[in-house]
Amino acid sequence: MRILIAGGAGYIGSVLIPRLMDRGYGVDVVDLFWFGNNLPSNVGVLHKDIFDLQTSDLAGYDQVIFLAGLSNDPMAEFSPSKNFIFNASAPAYLAYIAKKAGVRRYIYASSCSVYGYTENKLFDEDGPVNSSYPYGISKLQGERAVMQMVDSDFSVIALRKGTVSGYSPRMRFDLIINTMFKCAMRDGVIRVSNPAIWRPILAIDDAAMAYSRAVEANESLSGIFNIASGNHTVGEIADLVKLTVEETYGKRIALDIQHVKDVRNYKVSIEKARTVLSFHPDHGIKSIVRNLIDNIEKCNDWDNPAYYNVTVLKELESSRAIAIPALALEEGARK
Ligand SMILES: NC(=O)c1ccc[n+]([C@@H]2O[C@H](COP(=O)([O-])OP(=O)(O)OC[C@H]3O[C@@H](n4cnc5c(N)ncnc54)[C@H](O)[C@@H]3O)[C@@H](O)[C@H]2O)c1
């Protein structure tokens, strides 16, 4: 099977791709390499914008996975207009040309951020979606656009992931557990913006497992799936990060608890993913922190700007490297 992964050079793709290759799949990546290239050397690479792809570029692939776009709230809020183009239009355009090229399955990187602010309810995929901020709105737009392309020849699976954490060869320290771990190690203190807020957390290895389950699911399967390793309050996450660092290094870590208002608060049910995809997460918070500790030598240059998505986006903007792309035309359209 041949799989094309858009945005495959990012944080999740850099863990997922070796896993898919181990399972015998042929993988190519289309990416703008905003954060560099940490992929295995035998991955096929197209250094291109999704909007520069044409239908013919998709010919011969069995499946396409979308992992691209602006992948967090600070990026989306820095440039809401680009957020809507890269997060809503790009997945729709890619699914459209993939379907036209005869690709059989499209897997979309959705997000639990579509649920917005909710009080004490466990959401399944049929629950209301209600985000008021650009990232959540655009992820839902992308999801809705690609889901309505499903038919008997084109399967679409959307994975609504919780906040991913753990080590990746393309590292990020702007994700909740990774940030707390960095602050504990670098400063000896974990800042908690609001201990009452709920978040679904997803270990990066569980995220990669969810994608491989989706790739291998029965070919008639389409649908939306919540994907998380567990639901936790931010206060509990901080306690578990602190405990694991203290147990490993024998040093005291302080907590700085604040009560800042948040627009996101939600917990999700993963029953559908368990029952339909055979997704059974294997990692909790302590195991995510141990995974970071095991790889600490590879990423303890804590302030490397490449680890912070919004910093890279601001640099790209100031060098005008992400102008809205010259949009591709279909073959023959210029004649
Ligand atoms: N990381 C998380 O916690 C999380 C949670 C839920 C959903 N998601 C979604 O999962 C996906 C992957 O997340 P990540 O953390 O790996 O992201 P990332 O920011 O590490 O990587 C994104 C990659 O996409 C590439 N890219 C962006 N726009 C592109 C375009 N138009 N054409 C080609 N390449 C492009 C970038 O160069 C980068 O390599 C994103 O769609 C994100 O919204 C992530």
Side-chain angles (χ1 to χ4, degrees):
M1 189 193 289
R2 288 188 68 209
I3 305 173
L4 179 68
I5 307 191
Y11 173 70
I12 296 170
S14 299
V15 170
L16 170 63
I17 287 168
R19 184 185 173 103
L20 291 176
M21 294 177 86
D22 269 358
R23 291 167 95 82
Y25 301 115
V27 178
D28 292 337
V29 163
V30 56
D31 203 293
L32 288 166
F33 298 98
W34 287 341
F35 311 102
N37 182 353
N38 300 284
L39 295 169
S41 55
N42 51 343
V43 176
V45 161
L46 281 102
H47 193 148
K48 266 192 175 188
D49 196 307
I50 288 167
F51 290 108
D52 284 330
L53 293 173
Q54 296 178 319
T55 308
S56 55
D57 292 310
L58 279 289
Y61 291 106
D62 302 285
Q63 300 200 10
V64 170
I65 302 179
F66 178 91
L67 290 177
L70 306 190
S71 48
N72 66 6
D73 288 304
M75 294 175 100
E77 270 144 37
F78 175 69
S79 182
S81 56
K82 288 207 174 71
N83 166 71
F84 283 104
I85 291 171
F86 282 90
N87 283 2
S89 301
Y93 175 63
L94 185 63
Y96 167 71
I97 55 174
K99 185 171 179 174
K100 226 170 141 197
V103 170
R104 307 283 301 174
R105 168 164 289 155
Y106 189 83
I107 302 173
Y108 170 66
S110 193
S111 164
C112 290
S113 65
V114 299
Y115 291 114
Y117 195 94
T118 63
E119 300 263 2
N120 293 327
K121 267 197 87 181
L122 190 67
F123 277 88
D124 66 22
E125 295 79 355
D126 298 325
V129 283
N130 181 25
S131 56
S132 55
Y133 38 88
Y135 181 70
I137 298 168
S138 67
K139 293 304 287 184
L140 184 64
Q141 281 186 298
E143 184 187 285
R144 292 214 161 131
V146 301
M147 288 313 303
Q148 56 86 43
M149 291 185 216
V150 171
D151 65 21
S152 55
D153 296 323
F154 192 62
S155 143
V156 183
I157 295 177
L159 302 178
R160 283 186 183 165
K161 298 183 299 298
T163 302
V164 185
S165 285
Y167 173 76
S168 164
R170 144 36 192 166
M171 194 48 186
R172 288 182 64 178
F173 276 120
D174 54 3
L175 298 159
I176 183 164
I177 297 180
N178 296 8
T179 306
M180 288 185 180
F181 174 72
K182 172 203 74 179
C183 291
M185 296 302 296
R186 189 191 62 184
D187 311 328
V189 52
I190 298 173
R191 281 167 214 92
V192 179
S193 56
N194 187 333
I197 292 292
W198 282 89
R199 281 283 190 286
I201 294 297
L202 178 59
I204 192 153
D205 288 331
D206 287 337
M209 189 242 286
Y211 280 92
S212 60
R213 293 280 181 272
V215 164
E216 293 168 0
N218 186 297
E219 62 179 25
S220 63
L221 183 78
S222 289
I224 299 169
F225 297 89
N226 290 336
I227 301 291
S229 306
N231 296 297
H232 302 269
T233 63
V234 175
E236 185 197 10
I237 297 169
D239 284 342
L240 292 169
V241 174
K242 167 180 155 76
L243 187 67
T244 316
V245 171
E246 286 180 344
E247 280 172 355
T248 310
Y249 293 100
K251 63 174 186 174
R252 275 250 337 120
I253 304 298
L255 294 178
D256 172 8
I257 308 273
Q258 292 164 16
H259 294 271
V260 179
K261 217 168 159 333
D262 200 316
V263 291
R264 290 218 237 155
N265 184 39
Y266 42 80
K267 40 191 159 179
V268 300
S269 161
I270 61 161
E271 242 359 85
K272 185 178 172 192
R274 280 187 202 279
T275 321
V276 180
L277 281 182
S278 193
F279 167 74
H280 295 98
D282 210 20
H283 299 276
I285 310 276
K286 290 180 88 174
S287 142
I288 295 172
V289 178
R290 282 193 290 268
N291 163 260
L292 291 166
I293 291 170
D294 288 345
N295 290 286
I296 194 163
E297 297 301 329
K298 296 176 221 156
C299 58
N300 59 4
D301 50 338
W302 312 114
D303 298 316
N304 185 336
Y307 298 159
Y308 302 90
N309 278 20
V310 75
T311 307
V312 173
L313 181 63
K314 285 178 181 170
E315 280 167 9
L316 289 165
E317 276 288 343
S318 63
S319 61
R320 297 196 173 276
I322 39 175
I324 301 298
L327 306 181
L329 296 176
E330 264 315 303
E331 282 102 312
R334 283 184 209 278
K335 286 178 195 154

